Every structure is written in structure tokens, then in C-alpha cells.
Amino acid sequence: MRFEAQAIVCALRNHGEHGAIVWLITAEHGLQAAYVRGARGRRMRPVLIAGNSVHAGFAARNDTQLPQATIELIHSRAPLLSEPLPAAAIEWATALTATALPEGQPYPRLFWALEGLLDAIEAAPSAGGWGAALVRYELLLLAELGFGLDLDNCAVTGSNDDLVAVSPKSGRAVSAAEAEPYACKLLPLPRFVREGGPASWEEIAQGLDLTGHFLLRDLLTDRAQPVADARGRLVDRLRRAGGLA
């Protein structure tokens, strides 16, 4: 097995004295784990940072062997690690990707969505500029893995008008009239999730509450508790940044 691909570094685990096993997502080959020689050396450490875009060459004798990878940096997002909120967002998005996706199955939409999210985190002057993109990435990941939400029509009436909430059990949207008696039991559906466009801090927080409920219920099991904790830290920081804490 041998191939080359553009990739995003998602996670790293030290292996042996100098190497590491690195998880990278590619567009055509999905999530790939590979051994990288010298990963903990001075030259490779700044390359193998979660969120970096790289060119990776994978090689293995057969499909059952852990491949070895050679990595070349395309674009570094390491400067963002000095900023607490962008650093927490990159940590969460890459850790979620490495934890949730099965290895070796292509998810090109997720690859390019993650690349877009990381670019937005890098370019926006504040989290208000990329918070909505993070919510959309989480919604896409749920959908790609078979846990997508049905936000097109009201679960009760079938109408697509004035949808304001989501059932935490079914993941289906609910219209304002039908939601009113059960408001305390439903999850708010912020307008930007269905209509696109910018989002306020409150809407971003509502969107993260929405996606977080289904991520924790359907994807992040007990073994993924450290990843869930990373998300909790990110959401707390976002709420404080938006004055919602």
C-alpha cells in the first residue's frame, strides 16, 4: 500500500523513543493512522501539531500493517496555540475528528469542512466569526456518520414554517406553536442553522448546546470522555467571551 495525499493533523501519540503514531484526515482516504519516525525531534515537532495542513506519503507492506508516513508541512496553524480560544477550538475539532471517524473510510465533505473551519478560526478576529462554522461542522459530522438531525419540517405538523426548537429524543425540528407547551424540554434551534448567515453569541451558544447533546449521546461514549472534556472547556470559554457565562 502506497499513496500520497494532502492531510490535516488530528492527533498524536508517542510511540517508542523518538517516533509517534499520528492520525491524519485526508479527502480521498479518510482518517489514517501512521507511524512517523523522528516525530518528537526538533524538526518534526512543529510540523505534527493538530490543525496543521501537511503533505503526507503513506507506505505499508500490506493492508493490515500500520503504515509509515513521511510528512511535509503545507501550512502551520501553530501561532494560534498562543491564543486560548482558537487553541481550544482547534484542539476540539481535531480531537473530535480523530475520535469519531472510522479509519480508512473517505469523508471528503468532512475533510474540506474541517479545512474551512480551521481557516475561519485563523482568519476571524474573534470567535463570533467562526462559532457558527464550528456548529455547522459538528452538524455535518453527525450527518455523515448517520446521526443527522431532521431540521426541514415540524415533527408534529410537517410544516417548514417558524421552526424554533428540536426534540432531544428524535432530533426533529418543532414549530413555535407546537413547541410552546414543551419549551423547557426542547432544544432551541437558532435561525442560522437552517438559514445560514452570521450568528450572534447567544445563537452560537444555542447551536453548540444543540450539537453537543447529540454528539455526547450518539458518538462520544465513555472511552471518549477526555474529548468530551475538551469540548466542555471550549464551550465555557466561548460563553465567557460572549458575556453569556
Side-chain angles (χ1 to χ4, degrees):
M1 182 191 76
R2 188 180 298 270
F3 64 89
E4 297 183 5
Q6 181 180 339
I8 300 170
V9 180
C10 290
L12 181 146
R13 185 179 72 205
N14 292 339
H15 185 81
E17 188 174 353
H18 302 292
I21 298 174
V22 182
W23 282 263
L24 308 106
I25 184 173
T26 70
E28 295 184 356
H29 302 277
L31 185 70
Q32 294 285 331
Y35 177 75
V36 178
R37 294 182 182 274
R40 293 149 68 185
R42 181 179 299 178
R43 185 180 73 86
M44 292 304 298
R45 275 203 310 270
V47 175
L48 297 174
I49 292 175
N52 280 358
S53 294
V54 300
H55 180 85
F58 299 86
R61 292 181 179 177
N62 54 61
D63 291 342
T64 62
Q65 183 186 46
L66 179 71
Q68 294 193 26
T70 56
I71 308 291
E72 296 179 5
L73 183 66
I74 294 176
H75 179 67
S76 175
R77 296 184 175 94
L80 294 173
L81 300 185
S82 63
E83 303 179 37
L85 198 48
I90 292 172
E91 176 193 12
W92 159 246
T94 53
L96 172 64
T97 302
T99 301
L101 295 189
E103 292 184 18
Q105 296 187 25
Y107 292 95
R109 293 178 66 200
L110 280 175
F111 173 82
W112 293 113
L114 179 58
E115 183 80 6
L117 170 61
L118 295 171
D119 286 345
I121 293 171
E122 190 172 18
S126 76
W130 52 258
L134 176 59
V135 173
R136 294 189 186 102
Y137 180 71
E138 293 181 347
L139 286 168
L140 177 62
L141 186 140
L142 284 164
E144 290 284 284
L145 294 179
F147 299 100
L149 308 186
D150 183 355
L151 305 179
D152 293 330
N153 303 96
C154 176
V156 181
T157 65
S159 169
N160 62 1
D161 294 330
D162 203 15
L163 302 177
V164 300
V166 177
S167 165
K169 292 184 179 181
S170 68
R172 298 186 64 188
V174 183
S175 66
E178 301 297 334
E180 186 174 0
Y182 310 99
C184 62
K185 298 181 179 180
L186 299 174
L187 297 165
L189 175 59
R191 185 178 298 273
F192 80 91
V193 169
R194 296 190 67 247
E195 300 180 4
S200 67
W201 284 101
E202 183 178 3
E203 288 174 325
I204 292 170
Q206 290 175 342
L208 289 170
D209 286 343
L210 174 65
T211 53
H213 170 81
F214 294 99
L215 286 170
L216 293 172
R217 189 191 73 177
D218 297 326
L219 291 180
L220 300 181
T221 58
D222 292 341
R223 67 179 179 83
Q225 189 58 48
V227 182
D229 291 343
R231 188 181 197 278
R233 291 191 295 271
L234 169 61
V235 172
D236 287 344
R237 289 176 179 176
L238 278 166
R239 287 185 176 276
R240 289 198 296 270
L244 303 175

